[in-house]
Amino acid sequence: NNLPPTNAHLRQVDASAPQPSAAASKLSHLKAVVLGEALASEDDDVVVPSHEFSRQALVPSMQKYLEMYKASIEDPAKFWSGIASSEFYWKQKWGDQVYSENLDVRKGNIKIEWFKGGITNVCYNCLDKNIDAGLGDKIAIYWESNEPGFDATLTYSQLLHRVCQLANYLKSIGVRKGDAVVVYLPMLMELPITMLACARIGAVHSVVFAGFSAESLAQRIVDCKPKVVITCNAVKRGPKTIHLKDIVDAALIESANNGISVDVCLTYENQSALKRESTKWEKGRDVWWEDVVPKFPTSCDVEWVDAEDPLFLLYTSGSTGKPKGVLHTTGGYMVYAATTFKYAFDYKDSDVYWCTADCGWITGHSYVTYGPMLNGATVVVFEGAPNYPDPGRCWDIVDKFKVTIFYTAPTLVRSLMRDGDEYVTRYSRKSLRVLGSVGEPINPTAWRWLYNAVGGSRCPISDTWWQTETGGFMITPLPGAWPQKPGSATFPFFGVQPVIVDEKGVELDGECSGYLCVKNSWPGAFRTLYGDHERYETTYFKPFSGYYFTGDGCRRDKDGYHWLTGRVDDVINVSGHRIGTAEVESALVSHPHCAEAAVVGVEHEVKGQSIYAFVTPVEGISYSDELRKSLILTVRQQIGAFAAPDKIHWAPGLPKTRSGKIMRRVLRKIASRQLDELGDTSTLADPGVVDQLIQLADI
Ligand code: PRX
């Protein structure tokens, strides 16, 4: 009876949706193809799963989903403890309380705990438990190098051995339970190995995406003070060689200047990219992985930890200030990552699963390493660029490993779509059965291309909405369970109660749009921002008292389907990468010739959004291409290439209110050239600024 309003709509959908018959499925497909974007409303565009698929699905119908969803909402303790005890190994069961939560700042500190008192280990559950169940010889990882033709495999037993050797090495250099380990590795097998080794000994990994600059890496090192940094000498991405060790060297100098010295830099020799003789070396600090790790025993006792002990830290961008260290703990995250993986991809033991995300982001944590491996899945880990040596590479890999579940980002879909179908049709792809999308809203055109051209109109698409903070999927289709609407993430996962509120924080009912919040905790929720619980409360729980605020806008249609509409704060989503406008601005203003900068996101055909920067040079400095290049270079150096602005728009001044606040709304309109939608500019301190900006738009 305390079911969310969505449920009423779910029932309507159930009754009114076309029944999943072969004919209906065909019809809806035809409708989608023939009418394309010209449909009267995307809300009415449904794609019905085939009978064959639904019949074999873990959740075969809306009715079954509703039963399970209802159970998960009415008695979360029972629902989640049932899954936790039947599908995971606990050295010791949790106490009387399965979970305790306070999401309301008015009632005291925000607190979320799941399975507290339960003693377990995520690495044990990923490896030892699966091996004990007979999966020792099953392939855990198919690794595909940047260069076609170079690959490697690890079975679950081999993976365990590698993990134990590294875990033993880490212990030998003094890494203990609770210590931070910073990882700056590309998609080598050594990356999941490192994550699992840390988990095995209770160390807290903090993986930094190996596209971040030395400065960003240093910032994270200074924040979490690791005993050791783990990296490799270089990596090839497409035709380019990137010298990662040089970046780490620079970061370690920078962190030492800020009072944090790291004793050990464990470096993997990635021979295909760079030989050790050509790698710069700091004696006494740097250690070759290959020289030490293989000498350690292939078994290593597990450090049993509390469910609420930290598992990892992952830094992510916010709308203000420096990146936030999102902290995930052990038990709840484990249960949630594994369960969401299983249901949202309709996972079967025979599946071969490939997620194109990098382990430097949350998707790689939950859905390259932990979620799949907790399920004993075979995972493809790909080092390279998805369009190298040509845009057919993904489908080549799909055919090579007989990938059945392919999970990727809309930006890649759009870019491959642009390259033409001939790169797709060249390959069979008949192994595929489920597709997935993550990182930003997938536009219906890209959805249909993925569905038709890639999936042969056979494979349901799980458009999974979630965040670094949520640990796992929050709103996602369950393949086969209900009709899909291209572009909609559809319905909440078990145990999740999304609500849409207005600007006053009042829950909206029925068809509506507003701010997306969640009104309860779920096991995979992050527990704090590392070292800054106050910022955690202020950012996520104060905007709308009583709720977790996601930062996203959302619309619910007449059938209860959820449509994510993008960030409502000052966070930009470029190719599925989250970038804070404040971070880019602070990089720009650190340039000696930049007096002021304001950054907004504009729509981009492939990247979803691109970064558009308004820059006021200091007095006496004129606009020039050199300055433009040098400003962009500064952002690349301070954050990373992926955060480089696509456009620098010269600004004699910025539109500010009388109290000095930049009116970003106006900047967004100028950036997207919607000049007739500038709105009311009369409250600006100097309305003339707007005309000046418009005149300078194409310079
Ligand atoms: O705006 C939403 C968007 O990505 C944000 C979270 O970014 P991050 O923490 O980096 O995690 C990305 C991978 C989970 C969200 O606030 N987002 C993510 N998935 C979707 C999405 N927007 C729409 N649809 C999605 N499926």
Short mmCIF file of all heavy atoms in Angstrom, two decimals, residues 467 501 515-518 526 539-544 547-553 567-569:
data_model
loop_
_atom_site.label_atom_id
_atom_site.label_comp_id
_atom_site.label_asym_id
_atom_site.label_seq_id
_atom_site.Cartn_x
_atom_site.Cartn_y
_atom_site.Cartn_z
N GLN A 467 24.11 6.05 -11.61
CA GLN A 467 25.16 7.04 -11.37
C GLN A 467 26.30 6.43 -10.55
O GLN A 467 26.09 5.41 -9.88
CB GLN A 467 24.60 8.21 -10.55
CG GLN A 467 23.32 8.80 -11.09
CD GLN A 467 22.77 9.88 -10.18
OE1 GLN A 467 22.39 9.62 -9.05
NE2 GLN A 467 22.74 11.10 -10.67
N VAL A 501 9.89 15.32 -8.26
CA VAL A 501 9.38 16.40 -7.41
C VAL A 501 9.45 17.73 -8.16
O VAL A 501 10.23 17.86 -9.12
CB VAL A 501 10.18 16.51 -6.08
CG1 VAL A 501 10.12 15.21 -5.29
CG2 VAL A 501 11.62 16.93 -6.33
N TYR A 515 12.26 17.12 -10.96
CA TYR A 515 13.56 16.67 -10.49
C TYR A 515 13.47 15.23 -10.01
O TYR A 515 12.55 14.88 -9.27
CB TYR A 515 14.03 17.56 -9.34
CG TYR A 515 14.09 19.02 -9.74
CD1 TYR A 515 13.03 19.89 -9.47
CD2 TYR A 515 15.20 19.51 -10.41
CE1 TYR A 515 13.08 21.22 -9.86
CE2 TYR A 515 15.26 20.84 -10.80
CZ TYR A 515 14.20 21.69 -10.53
OH TYR A 515 14.25 22.99 -10.92
N LEU A 516 14.44 14.44 -10.43
CA LEU A 516 14.40 13.03 -10.05
C LEU A 516 15.07 12.81 -8.69
O LEU A 516 16.23 13.17 -8.50
CB LEU A 516 15.10 12.18 -11.11
CG LEU A 516 15.11 10.67 -10.84
CD1 LEU A 516 13.69 10.11 -10.84
CD2 LEU A 516 15.95 9.95 -11.90
N CYS A 517 14.31 12.24 -7.78
CA CYS A 517 14.82 11.93 -6.45
C CYS A 517 14.51 10.46 -6.15
O CYS A 517 13.76 9.81 -6.87
CB CYS A 517 14.12 12.78 -5.39
SG CYS A 517 14.52 14.52 -5.50
N VAL A 518 15.09 9.98 -5.06
CA VAL A 518 14.77 8.62 -4.62
C VAL A 518 14.40 8.71 -3.16
O VAL A 518 15.05 9.43 -2.39
CB VAL A 518 15.99 7.68 -4.81
CG1 VAL A 518 15.60 6.24 -4.46
CG2 VAL A 518 16.51 7.75 -6.24
N PHE A 526 25.88 4.91 -2.23
CA PHE A 526 27.13 5.36 -1.62
C PHE A 526 26.84 5.86 -0.21
O PHE A 526 25.75 6.33 0.09
CB PHE A 526 27.81 6.41 -2.48
CG PHE A 526 27.10 7.75 -2.58
CD1 PHE A 526 27.81 8.93 -2.56
CD2 PHE A 526 25.73 7.80 -2.74
CE1 PHE A 526 27.17 10.16 -2.66
CE2 PHE A 526 25.09 9.02 -2.85
CZ PHE A 526 25.81 10.20 -2.80
N THR A 539 24.98 18.28 -0.78
CA THR A 539 24.78 18.11 -2.22
C THR A 539 23.58 17.23 -2.54
O THR A 539 22.83 17.51 -3.46
CB THR A 539 26.03 17.43 -2.85
OG1 THR A 539 27.17 18.11 -2.38
CG2 THR A 539 25.98 17.47 -4.36
N TYR A 540 23.42 16.17 -1.79
CA TYR A 540 22.45 15.15 -2.21
C TYR A 540 21.17 15.11 -1.40
O TYR A 540 20.16 14.60 -1.87
CB TYR A 540 23.10 13.76 -2.15
CG TYR A 540 24.32 13.63 -3.04
CD1 TYR A 540 25.61 13.71 -2.51
CD2 TYR A 540 24.18 13.46 -4.40
CE1 TYR A 540 26.72 13.59 -3.32
CE2 TYR A 540 25.29 13.34 -5.23
CZ TYR A 540 26.57 13.40 -4.67
OH TYR A 540 27.66 13.29 -5.48
N PHE A 541 21.23 15.58 -0.15
CA PHE A 541 20.05 15.38 0.70
C PHE A 541 19.40 16.67 1.15
O PHE A 541 18.28 16.66 1.63
CB PHE A 541 20.42 14.50 1.90
CG PHE A 541 20.87 13.12 1.49
CD1 PHE A 541 22.21 12.83 1.29
CD2 PHE A 541 19.94 12.12 1.22
CE1 PHE A 541 22.63 11.57 0.86
CE2 PHE A 541 20.33 10.86 0.80
CZ PHE A 541 21.69 10.58 0.62
N LYS A 542 20.12 17.81 0.99
CA LYS A 542 19.50 19.07 1.40
C LYS A 542 18.61 19.71 0.35
O LYS A 542 17.64 20.37 0.70
CB LYS A 542 20.57 20.06 1.88
CG LYS A 542 21.03 19.73 3.28
CD LYS A 542 21.67 20.90 4.00
CE LYS A 542 22.05 20.46 5.41
NZ LYS A 542 23.31 21.06 5.84
N PRO A 543 18.91 19.53 -0.96
CA PRO A 543 18.07 20.22 -1.94
C PRO A 543 16.58 19.87 -1.77
O PRO A 543 15.72 20.75 -1.90
CB PRO A 543 18.60 19.73 -3.29
CG PRO A 543 20.03 19.37 -3.01
CD PRO A 543 20.05 18.85 -1.60
N PHE A 544 16.27 18.61 -1.49
CA PHE A 544 14.86 18.22 -1.29
C PHE A 544 14.81 17.34 -0.04
O PHE A 544 15.13 16.15 -0.11
CB PHE A 544 14.32 17.47 -2.52
CG PHE A 544 14.40 18.28 -3.78
CD1 PHE A 544 15.36 18.01 -4.75
CD2 PHE A 544 13.54 19.35 -3.99
CE1 PHE A 544 15.45 18.77 -5.91
CE2 PHE A 544 13.61 20.12 -5.15
CZ PHE A 544 14.57 19.83 -6.11
N TYR A 547 14.73 13.25 0.67
CA TYR A 547 15.02 12.48 -0.55
C TYR A 547 16.50 12.53 -0.91
O TYR A 547 17.18 13.51 -0.61
CB TYR A 547 14.28 13.06 -1.76
CG TYR A 547 12.79 13.13 -1.61
CD1 TYR A 547 12.16 14.35 -1.41
CD2 TYR A 547 12.02 11.98 -1.69
CE1 TYR A 547 10.78 14.43 -1.29
CE2 TYR A 547 10.65 12.05 -1.58
CZ TYR A 547 10.03 13.28 -1.38
OH TYR A 547 8.68 13.34 -1.27
N TYR A 548 16.94 11.52 -1.63
CA TYR A 548 18.24 11.58 -2.32
C TYR A 548 17.98 12.29 -3.64
O TYR A 548 17.14 11.85 -4.43
CB TYR A 548 18.79 10.17 -2.56
CG TYR A 548 19.89 10.13 -3.62
CD1 TYR A 548 21.13 10.71 -3.35
CD2 TYR A 548 19.67 9.58 -4.88
CE1 TYR A 548 22.13 10.72 -4.32
CE2 TYR A 548 20.67 9.59 -5.85
CZ TYR A 548 21.89 10.16 -5.57
OH TYR A 548 22.88 10.18 -6.52
N PHE A 549 18.69 13.38 -3.89
CA PHE A 549 18.52 14.13 -5.13
C PHE A 549 19.59 13.70 -6.13
O PHE A 549 20.78 13.74 -5.83
CB PHE A 549 18.60 15.63 -4.86
CG PHE A 549 18.59 16.46 -6.11
CD1 PHE A 549 17.66 16.24 -7.12
CD2 PHE A 549 19.50 17.50 -6.26
CE1 PHE A 549 17.67 17.00 -8.28
CE2 PHE A 549 19.50 18.27 -7.42
CZ PHE A 549 18.59 18.02 -8.43
N THR A 550 19.13 13.30 -7.32
CA THR A 550 20.05 12.71 -8.29
C THR A 550 20.82 13.73 -9.13
O THR A 550 21.83 13.40 -9.73
CB THR A 550 19.26 11.84 -9.29
OG1 THR A 550 18.37 12.71 -10.01
CG2 THR A 550 18.45 10.76 -8.58
N GLY A 551 20.27 14.96 -9.23
CA GLY A 551 20.88 15.94 -10.13
C GLY A 551 20.33 15.85 -11.55
O GLY A 551 20.71 16.61 -12.41
N ASP A 552 19.42 14.90 -11.77
CA ASP A 552 18.84 14.71 -13.11
C ASP A 552 17.40 15.19 -13.17
O ASP A 552 16.67 15.13 -12.18
CB ASP A 552 18.85 13.23 -13.50
CG ASP A 552 20.19 12.79 -14.06
OD1 ASP A 552 20.88 13.62 -14.67
OD2 ASP A 552 20.55 11.62 -13.87
N GLY A 553 17.01 15.60 -14.36
CA GLY A 553 15.60 15.87 -14.62
C GLY A 553 14.96 14.61 -15.19
O GLY A 553 15.64 13.78 -15.78
N ARG A 567 21.10 16.41 -16.93
CA ARG A 567 21.44 17.03 -15.65
C ARG A 567 20.72 18.37 -15.50
O ARG A 567 20.56 19.11 -16.47
CB ARG A 567 22.95 17.27 -15.55
CG ARG A 567 23.79 16.03 -15.67
CD ARG A 567 23.77 15.14 -14.48
NE ARG A 567 24.11 15.76 -13.23
CZ ARG A 567 24.39 15.07 -12.12
NH1 ARG A 567 24.38 13.74 -12.13
NH2 ARG A 567 24.68 15.69 -11.01
N VAL A 568 20.34 18.66 -14.28
CA VAL A 568 19.73 19.97 -14.03
C VAL A 568 20.69 20.85 -13.26
O VAL A 568 20.37 21.98 -12.91
CB VAL A 568 18.39 19.84 -13.26
CG1 VAL A 568 17.33 19.17 -14.11
CG2 VAL A 568 18.59 19.06 -11.96
N ASP A 569 21.88 20.31 -12.94
CA ASP A 569 22.86 21.14 -12.25
C ASP A 569 23.98 21.52 -13.23
O ASP A 569 23.85 21.31 -14.43
CB ASP A 569 23.44 20.38 -11.04
CG ASP A 569 23.96 19.00 -11.43
OD1 ASP A 569 24.02 18.70 -12.64
OD2 ASP A 569 24.31 18.23 -10.53
#
